[in-house]
Amino acid sequence: GENKIGFADEKGKIIIKPQFEMVSSYYNGKAIVAESCEKISLEKEEHKGGCHHYSISCNRNGYIDERGNIKLIGNYTFDEIRKKIKWKYPQ
């Protein structure tokens, strides 16, 4: 299936319909979103316990505001978008 991600509020009401393959948390009112992603396994062999480590590589990255309006999306890397909007990982 197509596993798309969106956002819901505390009550579970959908605010942003699932449409992205990857989303970050919000920082300063902006979240990074991505489309056209593929999982790249970081391991040659399977671990016991079924734990897998993947790197996600997305061809299209961008960002949205609090209302879910797409502000920019295109052939940008995650880092390009991160620098553009000065996004930081949650502490």
Side-chain angles (χ1 to χ4, degrees):
E2 293 281 306
N3 294 329
K4 301 287 189 209
I5 305 168
F7 287 92
D9 64 16
E10 304 79 44
K11 299 181 184 81
K13 181 171 164 276
I14 302 283
I15 298 172
I16 301 167
K17 69 180 172 58
Q19 57 190 295
F20 306 109
E21 289 176 50
M22 288 275 296
V23 293
S24 74
S25 52
Y26 274 92
Y27 180 80
N28 279 348
K30 298 182 186 91
I32 299 174
V33 297
E35 300 174 335
S36 303
C37 303
E38 58 180 344
K39 275 185 181 178
I40 298 154
S41 180
L42 300 179
E43 286 121 20
K44 304 275 185 287
E45 61 206 49
E46 256 184 72
H47 286 280
K48 290 191 181 84
C51 178
H52 295 285
H53 295 101
Y54 292 103
S55 169
I56 304 279
S57 173
C58 302
N59 294 325
R60 290 170 55 78
N61 289 274
Y63 69 95
I64 55 175
D65 65 14
E66 298 101 326
R67 294 202 179 100
N69 298 314
I70 297 170
K71 292 303 192 181
L72 178 71
I73 193 151
N75 297 320
Y76 302 100
T77 66
F78 180 90
D79 278 342
E80 284 170 335
I81 297 296
R82 185 177 58 80
K83 289 186 180 107
K84 187 174 184 65
I85 65 173
K86 299 176 171 59
W87 185 88
K88 289 188 170 67
Y89 287 97
Q91 297 307 319

